[in-house]
Amino acid sequence: MSTRHGPQARAHPIDDSRGSTAVKKPTTTMRYSRAEYAKVLALQDEVARADGDYQRLRGAYLEIAESDPSNEVGLAMIGADMDRAHSRLQALIGLPRLPYTHEPSAVMRREMQRQSDEKH
């Protein structure tokens, strides 16, 4: 049975049953030194921690906004912490802080207002 047709033919166009003499390049793998690898692992842990903080604050903000929307002080305090956590997360993953962007808490406030308007 011929191997020229089918998924093998598309995956490996050089290898066919006609006896091609093409030389394959060996695949190269990225290697990190121990110090670089430790830095990568530490950064991954830091990003995971920052994302966890942001998600925890976002959940608290949503909970207060749903249960007691008149608690403006609580919403403002958690919103400010959420904005800082979001900025930290953006800085860690390499996104620049752009001017004139909406803070996450302002976006959340609009979302909660829209959801409450839809319920009524």
Side-chain angles (χ1 to χ4, degrees), residues 50-63 65 74-90 97 102-112:
D51 185 45
D53 289 344
Y54 174 70
Q55 294 301 329
R56 180 178 47 83
L57 289 165
R58 185 178 186 277
Y61 188 91
L62 287 173
E63 183 180 327
L75 289 172
M77 290 174 67
I78 293 175
D81 287 341
M82 190 173 73
D83 293 340
R84 279 192 291 274
H86 188 262
S87 296
R88 175 76 178 136
L89 184 59
Q90 283 184 321
R97 183 138 176 97
H102 297 289
E103 298 296 330
S105 62
V107 173
M108 294 290 296
R109 262 194 305 277
R110 269 199 316 271
E111 247 179 68
M112 289 304 301

Side-chain angles (χ1 to χ4, degrees), residues 1-15:
M1 178 170 215
S2 174
T3 59
R4 287 181 48 196
H5 305 292
Q8 310 87 306
R10 280 180 258 129
H12 305 289
I14 295 175
D15 290 341

Side-chain angles (χ1 to χ4, degrees), residues 25-100:
K25 289 185 178 180
T27 58
T28 58
T29 57
M30 290 288 295
R31 306 239 3 172
Y32 292 109
S33 70
R34 288 184 183 188
E36 289 173 332
Y37 185 68
K39 286 179 186 177
V40 167
L41 287 179
L43 183 61
Q44 286 176 343
D45 290 342
E46 200 170 344
V47 167
R49 198 174 320 118
D51 185 45
D53 289 344
Y54 174 70
Q55 294 301 329
R56 180 178 47 83
L57 289 165
R58 185 178 186 277
Y61 188 91
L62 287 173
E63 183 180 327
I64 290 177
E66 287 176 0
S67 65
D68 187 15
S70 63
N71 188 355
E72 294 176 6
V73 173
L75 289 172
M77 290 174 67
I78 293 175
D81 287 341
M82 190 173 73
D83 293 340
R84 279 192 291 274
H86 188 262
S87 296
R88 175 76 178 136
L89 184 59
Q90 283 184 321
L92 283 173
I93 61 176
L95 295 176
R97 183 138 176 97
L98 301 174
Y100 309 113

